[in-house]
Short mmCIF file of all heavy atoms in Angstrom, two decimals:
data_model
loop_
_atom_site.label_atom_id
_atom_site.label_comp_id
_atom_site.label_asym_id
_atom_site.label_seq_id
_atom_site.Cartn_x
_atom_site.Cartn_y
_atom_site.Cartn_z
N VAL A 18 1.58 -10.17 -10.67
CA VAL A 18 2.54 -9.49 -11.56
C VAL A 18 3.13 -8.26 -10.88
O VAL A 18 4.34 -8.02 -10.93
CB VAL A 18 1.85 -9.07 -12.87
CG1 VAL A 18 2.80 -8.23 -13.73
CG2 VAL A 18 1.36 -10.28 -13.63
N SER A 19 2.27 -7.47 -10.23
CA SER A 19 2.75 -6.23 -9.61
C SER A 19 1.85 -5.83 -8.45
O SER A 19 0.71 -6.33 -8.33
CB SER A 19 2.79 -5.09 -10.64
OG SER A 19 1.48 -4.83 -11.12
N ILE A 20 2.37 -4.95 -7.60
CA ILE A 20 1.61 -4.42 -6.47
C ILE A 20 1.66 -2.91 -6.54
O ILE A 20 2.73 -2.31 -6.68
CB ILE A 20 2.18 -4.90 -5.11
CG1 ILE A 20 2.01 -6.43 -4.97
CG2 ILE A 20 1.49 -4.18 -3.95
CD1 ILE A 20 2.64 -6.99 -3.71
N ALA A 21 0.49 -2.28 -6.45
CA ALA A 21 0.39 -0.82 -6.41
C ALA A 21 -0.02 -0.40 -5.01
O ALA A 21 -0.94 -0.97 -4.42
CB ALA A 21 -0.62 -0.32 -7.43
N VAL A 22 0.70 0.58 -4.47
CA VAL A 22 0.39 1.10 -3.13
C VAL A 22 -0.24 2.48 -3.29
O VAL A 22 0.31 3.36 -3.97
CB VAL A 22 1.66 1.18 -2.26
CG1 VAL A 22 1.35 1.81 -0.90
CG2 VAL A 22 2.27 -0.20 -2.07
N THR A 23 -1.40 2.68 -2.68
CA THR A 23 -2.10 3.97 -2.73
C THR A 23 -2.46 4.41 -1.32
O THR A 23 -2.56 3.57 -0.43
CB THR A 23 -3.39 3.85 -3.56
OG1 THR A 23 -4.18 2.75 -3.08
CG2 THR A 23 -3.07 3.64 -5.03
N PRO A 24 -2.66 5.75 -1.09
CA PRO A 24 -2.68 6.83 -2.07
C PRO A 24 -1.28 7.17 -2.58
O PRO A 24 -0.27 6.72 -2.01
CB PRO A 24 -3.28 8.00 -1.29
CG PRO A 24 -2.89 7.73 0.12
CD PRO A 24 -2.98 6.23 0.27
N VAL A 25 -1.22 7.98 -3.63
CA VAL A 25 0.05 8.33 -4.27
C VAL A 25 0.71 9.49 -3.53
O VAL A 25 0.09 10.53 -3.32
CB VAL A 25 -0.17 8.70 -5.75
CG1 VAL A 25 1.14 9.12 -6.40
CG2 VAL A 25 -0.80 7.53 -6.49
N THR A 26 1.96 9.29 -3.11
CA THR A 26 2.80 10.27 -2.41
C THR A 26 2.00 11.16 -1.45
O THR A 26 1.94 12.38 -1.62
CB THR A 26 3.58 11.15 -3.41
OG1 THR A 26 2.65 11.79 -4.31
CG2 THR A 26 4.55 10.32 -4.23
N PRO A 27 1.38 10.58 -0.44
CA PRO A 27 0.60 11.38 0.51
C PRO A 27 1.50 12.20 1.43
O PRO A 27 2.68 11.90 1.62
CB PRO A 27 -0.17 10.32 1.30
CG PRO A 27 0.74 9.14 1.28
CD PRO A 27 1.40 9.15 -0.08
N SER A 28 0.91 13.24 2.02
CA SER A 28 1.60 14.09 3.00
C SER A 28 0.68 14.24 4.20
O SER A 28 -0.50 14.58 4.06
CB SER A 28 1.92 15.45 2.39
OG SER A 28 2.54 16.29 3.34
N ILE A 29 1.22 13.96 5.39
CA ILE A 29 0.43 14.06 6.62
C ILE A 29 1.19 14.91 7.62
O ILE A 29 2.41 15.05 7.54
CB ILE A 29 0.11 12.68 7.23
CG1 ILE A 29 1.41 11.94 7.59
CG2 ILE A 29 -0.76 11.86 6.30
CD1 ILE A 29 1.17 10.62 8.33
N VAL A 30 0.46 15.48 8.58
CA VAL A 30 1.11 16.28 9.62
C VAL A 30 1.51 15.39 10.78
O VAL A 30 0.89 14.35 11.03
CB VAL A 30 0.20 17.43 10.10
CG1 VAL A 30 -0.08 18.41 8.98
CG2 VAL A 30 -1.10 16.89 10.68
N LEU A 31 2.55 15.79 11.46
CA LEU A 31 3.05 15.04 12.60
C LEU A 31 1.93 14.85 13.63
O LEU A 31 1.22 15.79 13.97
CB LEU A 31 4.23 15.78 13.24
CG LEU A 31 4.91 15.12 14.42
CD1 LEU A 31 5.48 13.76 14.04
CD2 LEU A 31 6.00 16.01 14.98
N GLY A 32 1.78 13.59 14.08
CA GLY A 32 0.74 13.28 15.04
C GLY A 32 -0.47 12.63 14.43
O GLY A 32 -1.38 12.22 15.16
N THR A 33 -0.49 12.52 13.10
CA THR A 33 -1.63 11.89 12.43
C THR A 33 -1.18 10.60 11.74
O THR A 33 0.01 10.30 11.67
CB THR A 33 -2.26 12.83 11.38
OG1 THR A 33 -1.28 13.16 10.39
CG2 THR A 33 -2.74 14.11 12.04
N ASP A 34 -2.15 9.83 11.25
CA ASP A 34 -1.88 8.54 10.60
C ASP A 34 -2.29 8.59 9.13
O ASP A 34 -3.04 9.48 8.71
CB ASP A 34 -2.66 7.41 11.29
CG ASP A 34 -2.25 7.23 12.75
OD1 ASP A 34 -1.11 7.60 13.09
OD2 ASP A 34 -3.08 6.72 13.52
N GLN A 35 -1.80 7.60 8.37
CA GLN A 35 -2.18 7.46 6.96
C GLN A 35 -2.39 5.98 6.65
O GLN A 35 -1.50 5.17 6.86
CB GLN A 35 -1.09 8.02 6.06
CG GLN A 35 -1.33 7.78 4.57
CD GLN A 35 -2.56 8.53 4.06
OE1 GLN A 35 -2.63 9.76 4.15
NE2 GLN A 35 -3.53 7.82 3.53
N ALA A 36 -3.60 5.64 6.19
CA ALA A 36 -3.90 4.25 5.82
C ALA A 36 -3.51 4.03 4.36
O ALA A 36 -3.89 4.81 3.48
CB ALA A 36 -5.38 3.95 6.02
N PHE A 37 -2.74 2.97 4.10
CA PHE A 37 -2.35 2.60 2.74
C PHE A 37 -3.10 1.35 2.30
O PHE A 37 -3.50 0.52 3.13
CB PHE A 37 -0.85 2.34 2.67
CG PHE A 37 -0.01 3.58 2.73
CD1 PHE A 37 0.48 4.06 3.93
CD2 PHE A 37 0.30 4.29 1.57
CE1 PHE A 37 1.24 5.21 3.99
CE2 PHE A 37 1.06 5.44 1.62
CZ PHE A 37 1.54 5.91 2.83
N VAL A 38 -3.27 1.20 0.98
CA VAL A 38 -3.91 0.03 0.38
C VAL A 38 -2.96 -0.57 -0.63
O VAL A 38 -2.36 0.15 -1.44
CB VAL A 38 -5.24 0.41 -0.30
CG1 VAL A 38 -5.83 -0.78 -1.05
CG2 VAL A 38 -6.24 0.95 0.72
N ALA A 39 -2.80 -1.90 -0.59
CA ALA A 39 -1.97 -2.61 -1.56
C ALA A 39 -2.89 -3.37 -2.52
O ALA A 39 -3.70 -4.20 -2.08
CB ALA A 39 -1.03 -3.58 -0.87
N THR A 40 -2.77 -3.07 -3.81
CA THR A 40 -3.61 -3.71 -4.83
C THR A 40 -2.73 -4.51 -5.77
O THR A 40 -1.82 -3.96 -6.40
CB THR A 40 -4.41 -2.67 -5.62
OG1 THR A 40 -5.18 -1.88 -4.71
CG2 THR A 40 -5.33 -3.34 -6.63
N GLY A 41 -3.00 -5.83 -5.86
CA GLY A 41 -2.22 -6.70 -6.72
C GLY A 41 -2.85 -6.87 -8.08
O GLY A 41 -4.08 -7.02 -8.19
N THR A 42 -2.04 -6.83 -9.14
CA THR A 42 -2.49 -7.10 -10.50
C THR A 42 -1.93 -8.45 -10.93
O THR A 42 -0.73 -8.71 -10.74
CB THR A 42 -2.03 -6.01 -11.48
OG1 THR A 42 -2.58 -4.75 -11.07
CG2 THR A 42 -2.47 -6.32 -12.90
N TYR A 43 -2.78 -9.30 -11.50
CA TYR A 43 -2.41 -10.68 -11.83
C TYR A 43 -2.26 -10.88 -13.33
O TYR A 43 -2.64 -10.01 -14.13
CB TYR A 43 -3.45 -11.66 -11.25
CG TYR A 43 -3.34 -11.76 -9.75
CD1 TYR A 43 -3.86 -10.77 -8.92
CD2 TYR A 43 -2.67 -12.83 -9.16
CE1 TYR A 43 -3.74 -10.83 -7.53
CE2 TYR A 43 -2.54 -12.91 -7.78
CZ TYR A 43 -3.07 -11.91 -6.98
OH TYR A 43 -2.94 -11.98 -5.62
N THR A 44 -1.71 -12.03 -13.70
CA THR A 44 -1.46 -12.34 -15.11
C THR A 44 -2.72 -12.36 -15.96
O THR A 44 -2.65 -12.19 -17.18
CB THR A 44 -0.74 -13.69 -15.24
OG1 THR A 44 -1.46 -14.68 -14.49
CG2 THR A 44 0.69 -13.61 -14.72
N ASP A 45 -3.87 -12.58 -15.34
CA ASP A 45 -5.12 -12.58 -16.10
C ASP A 45 -5.81 -11.22 -16.08
O ASP A 45 -7.00 -11.11 -16.38
CB ASP A 45 -6.07 -13.66 -15.59
CG ASP A 45 -6.45 -13.46 -14.13
OD1 ASP A 45 -5.83 -12.57 -13.48
OD2 ASP A 45 -7.33 -14.18 -13.63
N SER A 46 -5.05 -10.19 -15.67
CA SER A 46 -5.51 -8.80 -15.63
C SER A 46 -6.50 -8.52 -14.51
O SER A 46 -7.05 -7.41 -14.43
CB SER A 46 -6.12 -8.36 -16.97
OG SER A 46 -5.15 -8.45 -18.00
N THR A 47 -6.75 -9.48 -13.65
CA THR A 47 -7.60 -9.22 -12.51
C THR A 47 -6.80 -8.49 -11.44
O THR A 47 -5.56 -8.52 -11.44
CB THR A 47 -8.18 -10.52 -11.91
OG1 THR A 47 -7.10 -11.37 -11.51
CG2 THR A 47 -9.06 -11.23 -12.92
N VAL A 48 -7.51 -7.80 -10.54
CA VAL A 48 -6.86 -7.11 -9.44
C VAL A 48 -7.45 -7.61 -8.12
O VAL A 48 -8.60 -8.08 -8.08
CB VAL A 48 -7.02 -5.58 -9.53
CG1 VAL A 48 -6.28 -5.03 -10.75
CG2 VAL A 48 -8.49 -5.19 -9.59
N GLN A 49 -6.66 -7.50 -7.07
CA GLN A 49 -7.09 -8.01 -5.77
C GLN A 49 -6.50 -7.14 -4.67
O GLN A 49 -5.35 -6.69 -4.76
CB GLN A 49 -6.63 -9.46 -5.60
CG GLN A 49 -7.17 -10.15 -4.36
CD GLN A 49 -6.76 -11.60 -4.30
OE1 GLN A 49 -6.46 -12.21 -5.33
NE2 GLN A 49 -6.73 -12.17 -3.12
N ASP A 50 -7.30 -6.88 -3.64
CA ASP A 50 -6.84 -6.11 -2.48
C ASP A 50 -5.95 -7.02 -1.61
O ASP A 50 -6.42 -8.01 -1.05
CB ASP A 50 -8.03 -5.61 -1.67
CG ASP A 50 -7.62 -4.66 -0.55
OD1 ASP A 50 -6.44 -4.65 -0.17
OD2 ASP A 50 -8.49 -3.93 -0.05
N LEU A 51 -4.67 -6.67 -1.53
CA LEU A 51 -3.71 -7.48 -0.78
C LEU A 51 -3.29 -6.82 0.52
O LEU A 51 -2.31 -7.24 1.16
CB LEU A 51 -2.46 -7.74 -1.64
CG LEU A 51 -2.69 -8.41 -3.01
CD1 LEU A 51 -1.36 -8.56 -3.73
CD2 LEU A 51 -3.37 -9.76 -2.83
N THR A 52 -4.01 -5.78 0.93
CA THR A 52 -3.61 -4.98 2.10
C THR A 52 -3.34 -5.83 3.33
O THR A 52 -2.37 -5.59 4.06
CB THR A 52 -4.69 -3.94 2.42
OG1 THR A 52 -4.94 -3.14 1.26
CG2 THR A 52 -4.26 -3.04 3.57
N THR A 53 -4.17 -6.83 3.56
CA THR A 53 -4.03 -7.63 4.79
C THR A 53 -3.11 -8.84 4.63
O THR A 53 -2.81 -9.51 5.61
CB THR A 53 -5.41 -8.12 5.27
OG1 THR A 53 -6.01 -8.93 4.25
CG2 THR A 53 -6.33 -6.95 5.57
N SER A 54 -2.64 -9.11 3.41
CA SER A 54 -1.80 -10.29 3.20
C SER A 54 -0.34 -9.97 2.89
O SER A 54 0.51 -10.85 2.97
CB SER A 54 -2.38 -11.17 2.08
OG SER A 54 -2.41 -10.46 0.86
N VAL A 55 -0.05 -8.72 2.53
CA VAL A 55 1.33 -8.35 2.26
C VAL A 55 2.05 -8.03 3.57
O VAL A 55 1.44 -7.90 4.63
CB VAL A 55 1.42 -7.12 1.33
CG1 VAL A 55 0.87 -7.46 -0.05
CG2 VAL A 55 0.69 -5.93 1.93
N THR A 56 3.37 -7.90 3.48
CA THR A 56 4.17 -7.47 4.62
C THR A 56 4.53 -6.01 4.41
O THR A 56 5.12 -5.64 3.40
CB THR A 56 5.46 -8.30 4.74
OG1 THR A 56 5.11 -9.68 4.91
CG2 THR A 56 6.30 -7.84 5.92
N TRP A 57 4.16 -5.16 5.38
CA TRP A 57 4.39 -3.72 5.28
C TRP A 57 5.69 -3.34 5.97
O TRP A 57 6.04 -3.90 7.02
CB TRP A 57 3.24 -2.95 5.92
CG TRP A 57 1.94 -3.08 5.18
CD1 TRP A 57 0.92 -3.96 5.42
CD2 TRP A 57 1.51 -2.29 4.06
NE1 TRP A 57 -0.10 -3.77 4.53
CE2 TRP A 57 0.22 -2.76 3.69
CE3 TRP A 57 2.08 -1.24 3.35
CZ2 TRP A 57 -0.49 -2.20 2.62
CZ3 TRP A 57 1.37 -0.69 2.30
CH2 TRP A 57 0.10 -1.17 1.95
N SER A 58 6.41 -2.37 5.39
CA SER A 58 7.65 -1.89 6.01
C SER A 58 7.84 -0.42 5.70
O SER A 58 7.29 0.11 4.72
CB SER A 58 8.85 -2.70 5.53
OG SER A 58 9.00 -2.58 4.12
N SER A 59 8.62 0.25 6.54
CA SER A 59 8.95 1.67 6.37
C SER A 59 10.46 1.79 6.27
O SER A 59 11.19 1.22 7.08
CB SER A 59 8.42 2.49 7.55
OG SER A 59 8.93 3.81 7.52
N SER A 60 10.93 2.55 5.28
CA SER A 60 12.37 2.71 5.10
C SER A 60 12.98 3.59 6.19
O SER A 60 14.18 3.51 6.45
CB SER A 60 12.66 3.31 3.73
OG SER A 60 12.15 4.63 3.64
N ALA A 61 12.17 4.42 6.84
CA ALA A 61 12.66 5.31 7.89
C ALA A 61 11.67 5.29 9.06
O ALA A 61 10.81 6.17 9.18
CB ALA A 61 12.82 6.73 7.36
N PRO A 62 11.78 4.27 9.94
CA PRO A 62 10.85 4.17 11.08
C PRO A 62 10.92 5.38 12.02
O PRO A 62 9.99 5.60 12.79
CB PRO A 62 11.32 2.89 11.79
CG PRO A 62 12.06 2.12 10.74
CD PRO A 62 12.71 3.15 9.87
N ALA A 63 12.02 6.14 11.96
CA ALA A 63 12.12 7.34 12.79
C ALA A 63 11.21 8.45 12.28
O ALA A 63 10.94 9.41 13.00
CB ALA A 63 13.57 7.83 12.84
N VAL A 64 10.77 8.34 11.03
CA VAL A 64 9.83 9.30 10.45
C VAL A 64 8.39 8.79 10.57
O VAL A 64 7.49 9.52 10.98
CB VAL A 64 10.17 9.58 8.97
CG1 VAL A 64 9.10 10.45 8.30
CG2 VAL A 64 11.53 10.25 8.86
#
């Protein structure tokens, strides 16, 4: 039904990394970690 990406609006300093998690919610109200199965993208790869 939906995918939630966490953490919420993180801020990192230049030179460091941030790990994100994608959690899927299904029609039966179950949730599943989709981090390794989704396709990740950045709207500004220069950032």
